[in-house]
Amino acid sequence: LFTTRPPVTFMHLFDDSHINHPVICCSGAAIYDVNKKTYIAKEEISYEDSLKLDEFLLKHNITPIKNLGY
């Protein structure tokens, strides 16, 4: 399965189903184990890089959509 959404937004869809394989989510930035409710792998941006990206986007008047997974 593949989705652009983070796990918190689609987990309720599997309440009545059983998935045997991980879900590729967040447009490919993460692989999520639906049964264990944990990330198997995820791509992250360092805090320092995120500050640089925020500065760049603000300079170009772009409002990003952020997924802040903790």
Side-chain angles (χ1 to χ4, degrees), residues 8-66:
V8 70
T9 65
F10 66 77
M11 286 302 298
H12 69 280
L13 300 173
F14 298 113
D15 286 347
D16 297 327
S17 304
H18 181 71
I19 306 295
N20 291 325
H21 299 285
V23 175
I24 300 170
C25 56
C26 302
S27 296
I31 302 174
Y32 190 75
D33 185 319
V34 176
N35 298 313
K36 294 180 181 177
K37 296 181 175 49
T38 60
Y39 288 98
I40 296 170
K42 58 185 173 177
E43 292 294 323
E44 298 179 321
I45 298 173
S46 70
Y47 179 72
E48 292 79 17
D49 287 344
S50 73
L51 293 176
K52 292 175 188 175
L53 283 170
D54 284 342
E55 183 180 330
F56 174 84
L57 295 172
L58 181 63
K59 179 180 174 183
H60 291 87
N61 200 29
I62 299 170
T63 303
I65 296 173
K66 297 180 181 183

